[in-house]
Amino acid sequence: GFLEDGILVQDVSQTRRRYLSSWTFPWDVMAVLPTELLCLLPGVPRVPGVPAARANRCLRVPRLFEAFDRCETRTGWPNAFRVAKLMLYLLLGIHWHGCLYFALSAHLGLGVDPWVCPSFTRLLRRYLHSFYFSTLVLATVGDTPAPQCEEEFLFATAGFLLAVLGFATITGNISTAIVNLSAADAAFYPDAGPVRRYLRARGVGGRLEGRVVRWHQHLRAQRKLPAEREVLQHLPRGLQAEVAASVHLAALRRVGLFRSWEHGVLRQLVLRLRPQVFGPGEFVCRRGDVGREMYFIREGHLAVVAEDGVTQLAVLGEGLYFGEISLINIKGNMAGNRRTANILSIGYSDLFCLGKEDLAEVLAEFPCARAAMEAKGRELLLRMGQLNTGAEAAAMAAEVEAERRLQGLEAALEGLQTRAARLLAQLEASALRTALRVQRLEGRL
């Protein structure tokens, strides 16, 4: 297909017409013409073993480069493709140099001196010797016979100069590929080096440094990508939602809160979630801390521990969520916006984190989800003795009273609007009557 005003056109007839009118069509036709058949005509000189008549095939070079560029942008391993392409160029260069060496040897005479190609009987042996000789020259290995005549000196000098240029190009390309690999790796996974150097500079290495190193190793081994927002930030929002949904939607549906939600809503919600990985023995939240986000367990197990940090009161697994009590306004909550429990990661735990503002937006759009979360939070608060039923009843009574007063105000406002509309209509009618009287008086005068 092709793009027309930003729209991908895949109609075969339109593609055919566009291709036939493009500048690439005559070049492609000339590249596939069977020009080697001209050698069969009488009177045409032939060069045995040298397909010079097929030189029109070189017109395919721009199309070859175009194919390479498209493959490089579409493959999942662009650096490996670049290295393979570089090796192909290297082998092709050695092959062409070997062909020129054999042509020069044939011109000077096979086996006339130690430098030229020996006069082997088998053609394969001649080609392998020429390829081996060119490899030694272009690899600057040396160990080749000394040239004997001017043509051999010129050819050897040109080969050494090409070798210097070729090796500089190869070294630069390989260095670029290695740098690209490191840059791509750093774009996905954080580097543990700065943290380790900071701990050593402060004299706090040892066990803590080992935890940092193991956390980074776990991210790479399990292919956890904590910097997803930075990777997807250049995409439009709709495409971000598609990519994030294709990666996380299956895990998100395992959370009990989201099982009844619509697919489109989950696609928008997945953009607000931030993946976080906690290591063994790491506290996700502590009792008394100010709550700024809630968590959904994607993988792993977490323990609700007592104040001693050892006694396990409960174990949370995949599909559960916690931390919502300090974010939503539950009437009678004695803890306010503080955490009500200590949550400890037993092993490596993969969680989704949802901020307070994002949670407020979601719950505002889905009151059923808010009611379910408030009911669960009230049950937990009752179990922990953190719910003041008297304050809850007073808050509910105050809410009912406020609702009643609000309804009264709305009714009074509606009555005032009706009276204002009636007065405005009377004013307009009076103004109309006055205008008609003025008009009649003007007519009489």
Side-chain angles (χ1 to χ4, degrees), residues 78-141:
N79 294 299
F81 181 81
R82 294 190 192 105
V83 173
K85 184 174 64 174
L86 183 63
M87 296 304 298
L88 175 65
Y89 290 159
L90 180 62
L91 294 176
L92 185 62
I94 295 175
H95 167 76
W96 282 350
H97 188 270
C99 293
L100 293 175
Y101 166 74
F102 181 78
L104 180 61
S105 300
H107 174 71
L108 298 177
L110 298 177
V112 297
D113 58 50
W115 189 86
V116 299
C117 180
S119 56
F120 296 114
T121 56
R122 296 180 60 193
L123 183 62
L124 177 62
R125 186 67 180 273
R126 295 179 180 180
Y127 174 76
L128 292 178
H129 177 84
S130 302
F131 194 89
Y132 174 72
F133 184 88
S134 298
T135 304
L136 294 180
V137 173
L138 296 181
T140 63
V141 175

Side-chain angles (χ1 to χ4, degrees), residues 34-47 53:
T35 52
E36 62 270 16
L37 297 180
L38 297 175
C39 298
L40 302 179
L41 298 177
V44 177
R46 308 178 204 174
V47 182

Side-chain angles (χ1 to χ4, degrees), residues 285-288 304-305 307 313 338-343 384:
C285 60
R286 292 179 180 270
R287 184 175 182 179
V304 182
V305 297
E307 293 299 329
L313 305 178
R338 301 284 178 173
R339 299 293 190 188
T340 58
N342 300 312
I343 307 296
M384 293 183 297

